[in-house]
Amino acid sequence: MQGMMMQMPLRIIEILRYASEVHPEGEIVSVRTEGDIHRETYSEAYQRSAQLAHGLKGLGVGDGDRVATLAWNGYRHFELYYAISGMGAVCHTINPRLSAEQMLYIIGHAEDQVLFVDLTFVPILEALADHLPSGLKLVVMTDRAHMPESPLTLLCYEELLDGQPDTYDWPLVDENAASGLCYTSGTTGHPKGALYSHRSTVLHAFMVAIAVPKSLHEGARILPVVPMFHVNSWGLPYAAPLVGASLIMPGPRLDGVSLFDLMEVEQVTASWGVPTVWLGLRGEMAQRDAVPAQLEQLVVGGSAAARDMITFFEDKGIDVCHAWGMTEMSPIGTQAQLSRPMADLPEKTKIDYKCTQGRRVFGVDMKIVDETGARLPHDGTAVGELYVRGNAVISGYFNNEEASNAAMDAEGWFGTGDVASIDDKGFLSLQDRSKDLIKSGGEWISSIDLENMALAHPKVANCAVIAIAHPKWDERPLLVVVPVEVDDPPDLADIHEMMLEHVARWQLPDDMVLTDALPLTATGKVSKLTLRKTFGDHVLPDLAG
Ligand code: ADP
């Protein structure tokens, strides 16, 4: 028997329409690429999204067409998120840190019709000029006064909106229609596209809002350091207006000093970002011996958050919420906040839990399996390949049958490529990406674990552990360290001693090399691929001579 309720499709534009009516004073504060700070309320954003939708229509954008963005976090990017999907087109966010080759590949693969670009990224397009598709229209996200001189034919964002009606007859799109497109950074092979729908995006906004209430509530002021150009800024541009939280958009400056200042001036209550960003903030907080006054929570994900970092912020009274997810999951999968009954646990145990990747959010199921695909128990000990399914998980990649087939298992679950254990309370502990695990003598060594331990050494500013080929053991771990002071590097024996409190002797890194900085991927993670290329020929001590 069918229920007898109305069929109202879940539509992204409804989030902004709701915010404009119920939280009209909620605001988007943006550090603009033009150099100043701009403020607009959700009701203004809703009106400008309508004007933009008219402008897009004028450019010939129709149902299902892909409209690309190459932009920082800011109000115009926010308006694009809503106008493009609202009118039935697909918002394709492009990561400006992709290589020229990858960028051209995804613009072609997505068949983008229009590309919106921030002032700072115009030179990227100029460099690609000869290879851009001939019909691609380019719009610079600025006003007439700031339009750059360029050999390219460029349209102006504000002119597109000028004089347009501030209401739009938003179509009743099918909730399963595509709304957004984001490509993985593709460390090997071509980038692969995750094609989000209205339904998955709205449900993900609900999931995130429910899962992280300390960040997401009416009156909160959230600073998304996670970029809108990659995985929708972890869903914040949708979840924040949904609950009536304001968004403080940082623009291009993401260093510790700029973030600290912006947090102070704009009374930021929560901020979300990858660990490398919080290293910068941590340095600035230590330097000033101060804490941004209103800051209550940092959400950290994208790579493993080190224990040392978590305790630093927690000691300063800032709640750290470790989260895990991926592009293919919209992206949030788990978060590691403690439930009320856990408040009485010993401090050390609480931090142990906060160091895990946490428990699933509503709408996400997880399983770990062995090499044959058989399920492993959630006992905190068994380690296997992590698979997920859920309302906001991809069912395949956009126009890529081969990658789609490879990613999904026979039961229709998506293979994350991560290797993990899950304990009896549901806490996920990621050991590694399967390609980063170190396979030594038939056993696995987790690079994440070793990095976490080495980071606790006072002379280690940053580090990574990679596999080095070994004739007897297959692979052995090499520790790559960025020392706090170049002239006073840490001693590997000291680091070993610290590690031996937690791991067996055979798991210790065989050697240590020093470097100035760790190479980063397009999404701000340490690029193990580059490190393996750089240090792959390193001769381990037992093989020397
Ligand atoms: P890309 O590599 O394209 O940036 P994603 O941003 O989708 O891809 O990254 C997803 C991957 O990042 C996960 O599969 C996992 O390996 C890693 N990751 C994300 N969050 C965490 C976390 N909290 N701890 C450890 N690894 C993480």
Side-chain angles (χ1 to χ4, degrees):
M1 186 162 59
Q2 295 283 299
M4 290 178 57
M5 306 306 285
M6 291 184 187
Q7 282 292 336
M8 292 295 291
L10 296 171
R11 287 183 305 157
I12 291 171
I13 193 67
E14 281 303 314
I15 295 180
L16 189 54
R17 186 170 77 88
Y18 173 78
S20 76
E21 289 174 12
V22 179
H23 305 294
E25 66 295 332
E27 59 175 353
I28 307 164
V29 179
S30 311
V31 178
R32 288 206 279 200
T33 50
E34 291 94 333
D36 55 350
I37 287 203
H38 174 273
R39 320 183 89 87
E40 93 180 3
T41 63
Y42 284 136
S43 55
E44 287 162 345
Y46 183 56
Q47 289 171 4
R48 279 174 51 89
S49 299
Q51 293 184 303
L52 177 56
H54 285 290
L56 287 165
K57 208 169 175 185
L59 291 179
V61 173
D63 239 19
D65 283 348
R66 269 76 72 197
V67 176
T69 63
L70 187 59
W72 297 107
N73 293 3
Y75 66 105
R76 293 188 182 112
H77 207 173
F78 179 94
E79 292 159 3
L80 282 160
Y81 265 40
Y82 283 93
I84 296 169
S85 61
M87 69 180 299
V90 179
C91 179
H92 169 208
T93 51
I94 301 180
N95 185 337
R97 300 191 191 112
L98 291 179
S99 67
E101 187 194 343
Q102 287 181 328
M103 209 177 274
L104 287 171
Y105 169 83
I106 64 172
I107 290 171
H109 188 266
E111 298 177 43
D112 293 326
Q113 307 283 306
V114 185
L115 196 161
F116 283 81
V117 60
D118 254 340
L119 270 174
T120 35
F121 297 134
V122 171
I124 295 185
L125 294 183
E126 287 173 351
L128 301 180
D130 293 344
H131 309 282
L132 289 172
S134 55
L136 182 67
K137 299 188 177 82
L138 305 175
V139 185
V140 185
M141 295 160 68
T142 190
D143 52 20
R144 176 46 58 194
H146 290 88
M147 281 297 283
E149 294 274 334
S150 172
L152 295 168
T153 307
L154 301 173
L155 302 166
C156 167
Y157 185 97
E158 291 301 331
E159 283 185 350
L160 207 58
L161 273 69
D162 269 355
Q164 301 283 10
D166 61 6
T167 57
Y168 190 88
D169 192 10
W170 305 106
L172 212 59
V173 285
D174 177 349
E175 64 176 17
N176 289 307
S179 60
L181 177 61
C182 177
Y183 285 78
T184 63
S185 47
T187 38
T188 51
H190 282 311
K192 294 169 287 188
L195 187 61
Y196 310 116
S197 68
H198 281 265
R199 178 185 159 80
S200 72
T201 306
V202 172
L203 288 177
H204 184 264
F206 277 99
M207 285 152 54
V208 172
I210 294 165
V212 200
K214 200 163 188 155
S215 281
L216 285 157
H217 54 83
E218 197 271 327
R221 297 177 68 76
I222 307 178
L223 194 165
V225 186
V226 286
M228 292 175 76
F229 60 67
H230 190 62
V231 235
N232 305 322
S233 204
W234 296 354
L236 286 175
Y238 304 114
L242 183 66
V243 300
S246 293
L247 285 166
I248 315 300
M249 305 293 211
R253 284 195 297 278
L254 306 175
D255 58 285
V257 180
S258 307
L259 289 178
F260 192 115
D261 288 343
L262 188 59
M263 285 175 175
E264 283 273 285
V265 172
E266 289 300 332
Q267 305 192 347
V268 167
T269 53
S271 189
W272 295 25
V274 294
T276 27
V277 165
W278 302 141
L279 276 181
L281 181 68
R282 173 189 170 156
E284 191 54 23
M285 281 169 58
Q287 174 90 14
R288 297 190 200 187
D289 191 19
V291 178
Q294 306 296 324
L295 189 62
E296 291 170 2
Q297 185 174 55
L298 290 178
V299 173
V300 52
S303 322
R307 184 179 194 97
D308 196 45
M309 173 189 287
I310 294 178
T311 45
F312 173 87
F313 289 112
E314 290 273 334
D315 286 348
K316 302 261 186 272
I318 299 167
D319 180 71
V320 178
C321 173
H322 191 191
W324 164 86
M326 53 198 314
T327 308
E328 291 87 338
M329 299 177 71
S330 302
I332 308 267
T334 62
Q335 56 78 23
Q337 284 161 115
L338 309 186
S339 49
R340 256 169 229 273
M342 301 175 87
D344 299 330
L345 290 171
E347 276 314 304
K348 175 174 174 308
T349 315
K350 284 200 265 189
I351 298 290
D352 287 344
Y353 278 116
K354 282 185 169 260
C355 289
T356 71
Q357 279 67 22
R359 288 191 277 203
R360 71 189 184 97
V361 301
F362 176 81
V364 172
D365 263 332
M366 305 190 288
K367 68 174 180 180
I368 44 172
V369 303
D370 67 14
E371 312 80 70
T372 68
R375 285 193 190 218
L376 293 167
H378 294 190
D379 59 5
T381 315
V383 171
E385 186 103 24
L386 178 63
Y387 280 76
V388 291
R389 68 173 179 194
N391 305 110
V393 178
I394 61 160
S395 60
Y397 290 102
F398 176 54
N399 277 348
N400 191 337
E401 203 179 325
E402 192 187 339
S404 302
N405 292 338
M408 314 303 295
D409 76 2
E411 293 177 351
W413 293 60
F414 169 75
T416 63
D418 286 334
V419 174
S421 65
I422 301 172
D423 76 7
D424 55 357
K425 290 192 176 64
F427 281 84
L428 173 77
S429 289
L430 226 77
Q431 305 295 310
D432 241 324
R433 284 194 141 178
S434 54
K435 54 182 185 291
D436 294 337
L437 264 181
I438 297 144
K439 290 141 201 128
S440 173
E443 300 279 350
W444 287 347
I445 302 173
S446 158
S447 63
I448 294 183
D449 280 353
L450 295 182
E451 287 158 9
N452 230 321
M453 293 169 218
L455 272 174
H457 193 289
K459 293 184 182 176
V460 176
N462 206 352
C463 73
V465 172
I466 54 166
I468 297 288
H470 191 285
K472 179 168 176 196
W473 303 111
D474 286 336
E475 292 177 351
R476 289 297 303 158
L478 173 71
L479 175 64
V480 184
V481 164
V482 181
V484 173
E485 286 183 36
V486 188
D487 308 333
D488 185 22
D491 200 6
L492 183 60
D494 287 349
I495 296 178
H496 278 170
E497 205 166 309
M498 290 172 59
M499 289 179 168
L500 277 173
E501 288 174 28
H502 309 283
V503 297
R505 188 166 287 280
W506 66 268
Q507 294 176 310
L508 296 176
D510 282 20
D511 207 358
M512 178 178 80
V513 289
L514 301 175
T515 184
D516 295 343
L518 296 177
L520 298 181
T521 67
T523 49
K525 304 174 194 201
V526 173
S527 172
K528 299 238 166 140
L529 193 75
T530 312
L531 283 176
R532 282 195 288 265
K533 278 187 193 148
T534 313
F535 295 107
D537 295 334
H538 180 78
V539 181
L540 295 173
D542 69 323
L543 301 175

